[in-house]
Amino acid sequence: RVGGQHPSKIARFERRALISKQFPLTAVLGCSDSRVPVEIVFDQGLGDMFVVRVAGNCLDNTTTASLEYAVHHLSVKVLMVMGHEGCGAIKAAQLPSADIDKEPACLGNLLTNLKKGLSESELKAIRDSKAHDREAVTTNVKRQVENLTKDEGIMEQVK
């Protein structure tokens, strides 16, 4: 929300002001799933959040660089990693490696990297499918946060 109004209701001059400057308070690494629009989930408007969306909300060179931009150039002090139930990327990352190898190269690389961060032995012990899904998503978010905290350049800025 900008000035307490939904983006579709704000005046043209307010939208134009956002073209030249942005002052987000928060940066969010979220999933690209179309069912989880971060700004709507948090009831925020244009310019309020710096959002990086990628399948499985995973860190790689591009997503890390985007978060570094938010921290170093936009003075964002709060970083968040947001996972969600029913994440297709997390489900796909749990497929057998032989199935992941059949995917297109870039997608296969993403799924392989996500798979490395999931505790397959711990997840196999969970019989309830909803609990398994939640634990896989939670494990992935924790792994991405751990990886993010290893970036000294980012961590120096958000302290």
Side-chain angles (χ1 to χ4, degrees):
R1 296 193 182 272
V2 177
Q5 294 184 4
H6 190 274
S8 64
K9 303 285 186 201
I10 63 174
R12 283 188 185 162
F13 68 90
E14 289 178 277
R15 284 194 301 258
R16 283 192 193 125
L18 290 171
I19 291 171
S20 62
K21 295 180 183 177
Q22 60 176 320
F23 301 101
L25 300 174
T26 307
V28 180
L29 174 61
C31 186
S32 56
D33 190 310
S34 63
R35 301 167 294 175
V36 191
V38 176
E39 294 87 350
I40 294 173
V41 168
F42 288 102
D43 194 27
Q44 297 296 298
L46 299 174
D48 293 338
M49 302 178 90
F50 186 89
V51 180
V52 180
R53 293 179 65 169
V54 63
N57 47 276
C58 64
L59 281 172
D60 61 13
N61 287 339
T62 303
T63 56
T64 300
S66 295
L67 294 172
E68 286 174 345
Y69 177 80
V71 169
H72 289 278
H73 295 280
L74 301 176
S75 301
V76 166
K77 298 292 184 199
V78 177
L79 299 179
M80 187 180 333
V81 177
M82 185 178 114
H84 67 96
E85 289 186 9
C87 181
I90 299 303
K91 285 182 183 179
Q94 295 174 76
L95 292 171
S97 295
D99 291 344
I100 292 174
D101 290 343
K102 295 176 187 173
E103 295 291 345
C106 289
L107 177 57
N109 288 338
L110 178 132
L111 295 176
T112 299
N113 287 335
L114 286 173
K115 185 179 193 73
K116 290 176 189 174
L118 298 175
S119 256
E120 288 190 56
S121 59
E122 290 178 26
L123 291 173
K124 283 182 183 177
I126 302 172
R127 300 283 179 225
D128 179 74
S129 63
K130 286 186 179 184
H132 181 276
D133 177 51
R134 280 191 301 273
E135 187 59 31
V137 168
T138 301
T139 299
N140 179 57
V141 168
K142 288 177 182 177
R143 178 58 51 115
Q144 303 312 319
V145 170
E146 287 170 12
N147 291 336
L148 190 58
T149 59
K150 292 176 186 172
D151 187 311
E152 293 177 15
I154 287 179
M155 296 314 294
E156 287 174 4
Q157 297 295 316
V158 297
K159 287 184 178 181

